[in-house]
Amino acid sequence: MALVTTTEMFKKAYDGGYAIGAFNVNNMEIVQAITEAAGELNSPVILQVSAGARKYANHTYLTKLVEAAIIENPNIPIALHLDHGADFEICKSCIDGGFTSVMIDGSKYPFQENIELTRKVVEYAHAHGVVVEAELGKLAGIEDDVNVSAEDSSYTQPDEVEEFVTKTGVDSLAIAIGTSHGAYKFKPGTKPQLRFDILHEIEQRIPGFPIVLHGASSVPQEYVKIINEHGGALKDAIGVPEDQLREAARSAVCKINIDSDLRLGLTAGVREVLSEHPDYFDPRQYLTVGRANVKAVVAHKIKEVLGSEGKA
Ligand code: G3H
Ligand code: 13P
Ligand code: ZN
């Protein structure tokens, strides 16, 4: 199967009450781990590339790794998506460079400017058979060139979504309902709670329209523990409870973004092997374990959180 857009994936996910996992890729091991898990579980999957990933691994290497993954996993639909495109130029570069989906993240701009920028990207993308995700509302946290403090973050306003979607022609919409990027999402001792009331109001205003949830890592405590027991120093890292993600997946949320949990799994594996075997210096010895952890994280998400097993 060649790379696909997310159009059919989202339609089936919306109607079927599940979500597609969008996992960030930065190197060969991560691409292999995600697609092997998805392949074995017969699940559609989105591989997403940030500006930082393109800087680190280079556009060509990443697209060629994804091409290899398609050959190795011919039975599942795979989409290649730009995560948090900051401007028209990076979106154009990814559209021209073989991506099937791009995100234009105009959430830092005033409403009308966000509409104009998003519409410009949509026009170019659709003319080239590529779909577009946009964002309304601001998540707290740090991502590549986007650093939003908790005070500057704000929930998506439901009364803006209809106008935004109609005027831009966008294909899916990322919303802010209390998630944030990175491993430190909620204060220790507090009870994390996503704003499902906002999500449901948005669903009613744009029925049938696919919603995207960023910042959806759960920060598995077993990996935090392994990291800290083997020389790491992660303080009170807390993520989104899985039962709330399951609830989101059953709703209009069709795409759930996960990066931090993959990083934690990979790092836990590498730290554990290296501290238990100080004599090891072959990268294959520790990356094998890191990669296996990433695969286990993705398999767990597909089966226990997203509900996309068997939906390829
Ligand atoms: O949303 C952010 C993703 O986790 C990507 O992170 O920009 O450090 O690659 P990155
Ligand atoms: P996490 O940091 O929660 O994994 O979120 C990733 C993300 O939203 C990528 O766009
Ligand atoms: Zn994000």
Side-chain angles (χ1 to χ4, degrees):
M1 195 182 284
L3 272 182
V4 299
T5 72
T6 53
T7 308
E8 201 185 325
M9 282 185 193
F10 287 170
K11 189 173 174 359
K12 287 185 181 165
Y14 195 103
D15 294 343
Y18 62 92
I20 313 292
F23 301 98
N24 288 71
V25 296
N26 291 280
N27 64 16
M28 181 189 76
E29 286 76 10
I30 296 174
V31 172
Q32 288 176 323
I34 297 164
T35 52
E36 271 177 29
E40 285 171 20
L41 294 170
N42 211 27
S43 168
V45 74
I46 299 167
L47 302 177
Q48 57 187 13
V49 169
S50 68
R54 281 175 104 228
K55 221 181 281 171
Y56 171 75
N58 166 309
H59 181 100
T60 310
Y61 280 100
L62 287 171
T63 52
K64 294 295 168 192
L65 285 171
V66 172
E67 266 177 41
I70 289 167
I71 294 168
E72 291 295 319
N73 300 277
N75 299 323
I76 55 165
I78 300 177
L80 178 57
H81 173 77
L82 168 66
D83 192 26
H84 293 285
D87 51 37
F88 176 79
E89 284 67 35
I90 189 169
C91 291
K92 180 178 184 303
S93 167
C94 289
I95 293 163
D96 295 345
F99 283 41
T100 53
S101 173
V102 294
M103 175 187 191
I104 177 68
D105 184 355
S107 60
K108 58 185 173 293
Y109 296 116
F111 186 63
Q112 287 305 330
E113 272 176 59
N114 189 357
I115 288 183
E116 276 155 39
L117 175 62
T118 302
R119 191 171 50 205
K120 186 176 171 194
V121 172
V122 167
E123 274 166 18
Y124 189 80
H126 285 184
H128 293 80
V130 170
V131 292
V132 180
E133 172 187 326
E135 182 167 325
L136 257 188
K138 289 189 193 128
L139 273 69
I142 300 169
E143 59 208 30
D144 237 18
D145 300 322
V146 194
N147 183 352
V148 184
S149 69
E151 303 83 66
D152 285 343
S153 70
S154 52
Y155 297 126
T156 306
Q157 293 176 33
D159 59 359
E160 288 185 344
V161 295
E162 201 178 344
E163 183 185 350
F164 186 86
V165 162
T166 312
K167 287 192 172 162
T168 58
V170 76
D171 302 282
S172 61
L173 184 67
I175 60 167
I177 55 165
T179 61
S180 60
H181 291 105
Y184 305 94
K185 299 185 192 298
F186 299 98
K187 290 212 169 69
T190 59
K191 195 180 168 299
Q193 182 57 58
L194 302 185
R195 291 289 304 271
F196 283 102
D197 55 326
I198 298 178
L199 170 59
H200 295 318
E201 210 181 321
I202 291 170
E203 278 180 311
Q204 281 164 11
R205 287 180 188 254
I206 44 173
F209 195 82
I211 300 298
V212 179
L213 210 54
H214 282 246
S217 276
S218 294
V219 188
Q221 293 302 301
E222 66 269 30
Y223 289 139
V224 174
K225 192 163 178 276
I226 291 171
I227 290 170
N228 286 341
E229 282 174 356
H230 295 87
L234 301 179
K235 282 175 284 182
D236 295 326
I238 293 172
V240 183
E242 289 192 340
D243 58 333
Q244 294 187 33
L245 294 171
R246 271 191 286 274
E247 186 177 340
R250 284 192 292 269
S251 75
V253 171
C254 294
K255 173 174 179 271
I256 292 189
N257 285 10
I258 295 158
D259 186 6
S260 297
D261 287 358
L262 310 187
R263 298 178 180 194
L264 289 166
L266 186 50
T267 302
V270 171
R271 276 199 179 276
E272 195 170 26
V273 173
L274 287 179
S275 83
E276 282 170 7
H277 303 277
D279 55 321
Y280 279 7
F281 67 97
D282 179 343
R284 293 170 296 189
Q285 290 168 312
Y286 49 87
L287 289 176
T288 299
V289 180
R291 179 173 58 188
N293 282 358
V294 175
K295 184 174 172 183
V297 169
V298 174
H300 173 79
K301 301 288 177 189
I302 290 172
K303 287 197 283 195
E304 309 295 340
V305 178
L306 302 160
S308 63
E309 182 178 8
K311 308 293 188 187

